[in-house]
Amino acid sequence: MDGTKVQNKIYYGYGKAALRLGLSFDIYRSVDGIEPLKIANKIGSILVSPTVNWNYTAYRKYDANDWILIVDGRSIHVGDYLVGRNTFFVAAMQHLMPIMGVKCDRKITIRRPKSVGDKGNIGYSRYEAITAATFDIIAKDCPCNFIKGSRGDTNPVKLATDAKAPWFTMYLPKLGQFLKVGDIVVDEYKQEYVVSTNELTELGWRINLLGLES
């Protein structure tokens, strides 16, 4: 028996376990980050049992985002969203390894300021009105995961009531476009962040964000 057949048997076994332990999740598959959970991207439903460990004896802590997904891996792909009681994206399906999912707790839109081509115009579109003429939409209403960083940047004005600008790490699947340093991220609460570092890994995007004042 070769590795491919062994892998299929493992995924089949996960599916049998999900029949006993799982809950129903909808599968969404998108080719880009533009409204990945719209109805046109739904390809079906499947039983899924998320767990921290195989014994179901551990609970998820604040500073963690990865889960083991007990699900028939023959029906899903890396980058798929699984939406049920919670929302996950499939981060990794490594050979003979457990299926890794990331739980999504935020929903973001990513805007990229357009450069100004007019001669003599030195305006910076980050501070201009948000219109189709000043920003490109890289992702829209895209579920992702945020983890708070351990530090922040002090406001240079240093007023008594100023708070430090917070840092976050954001995890999301690979998108149709490359994310760049300087892209603007806006969450569902209308809070804004700027991409400080961008790392495209085997598990998807790992992005450091600096919070911006409203």
Side-chain angles (χ1 to χ4, degrees), residues 91-197:
M93 300 178 67
Q94 298 162 343
H95 185 57
L96 305 183
M97 295 292 104
I99 298 172
M100 176 184 170
V102 174
K103 185 178 178 180
C104 300
D105 53 14
R106 305 295 279 275
K107 185 177 289 187
I108 53 94
T109 293
I110 302 176
R111 301 171 179 147
R112 179 168 299 158
K114 293 182 179 180
S115 58
V116 179
D118 297 340
K119 292 182 179 179
N121 192 332
I122 58 173
Y124 178 36
S125 57
R126 166 70 182 87
Y127 298 102
E128 296 176 2
I130 300 173
T131 68
T134 60
F135 282 83
D136 290 319
I137 300 298
I138 305 304
K140 182 179 180 182
D141 295 336
C142 190
C144 65
N145 178 274
F146 269 47
I147 292 181
K148 185 181 72 67
S150 60
R151 64 188 181 90
D153 279 2
T154 302
N155 190 309
V157 179
K158 296 183 179 179
L159 297 177
T161 57
D162 281 340
K164 286 186 176 182
W167 284 90
F168 295 88
T169 300
M170 178 177 70
Y171 299 88
L172 72 166
K174 297 178 182 179
L175 304 176
Q177 297 195 55
F178 192 84
L179 303 186
K180 296 181 178 181
V181 172
D183 286 346
I184 303 300
V185 175
V186 184
D187 66 18
E188 69 268 41
Y189 306 111
K190 307 303 180 184
Q191 299 177 114
E192 294 190 352
Y193 315 83
V194 62
V195 174
S196 175
T197 60

Side-chain angles (χ1 to χ4, degrees), residues 60-117:
R60 178 54 67 209
K61 299 179 181 179
Y62 278 115
D63 58 350
N65 60 4
D66 56 302
W67 292 69
I68 296 171
L69 301 181
I70 308 300
V71 56
D72 190 339
R74 299 172 300 174
S75 300
I76 60 173
H77 292 169
V78 171
D80 286 352
Y81 281 100
L82 304 177
V83 181
R85 178 175 293 183
N86 301 113
T87 297
F88 298 86
F89 71 81
V90 181
M93 300 178 67
Q94 298 162 343
H95 185 57
L96 305 183
M97 295 292 104
I99 298 172
M100 176 184 170
V102 174
K103 185 178 178 180
C104 300
D105 53 14
R106 305 295 279 275
K107 185 177 289 187
I108 53 94
T109 293
I110 302 176
R111 301 171 179 147
R112 179 168 299 158
K114 293 182 179 180
S115 58
V116 179

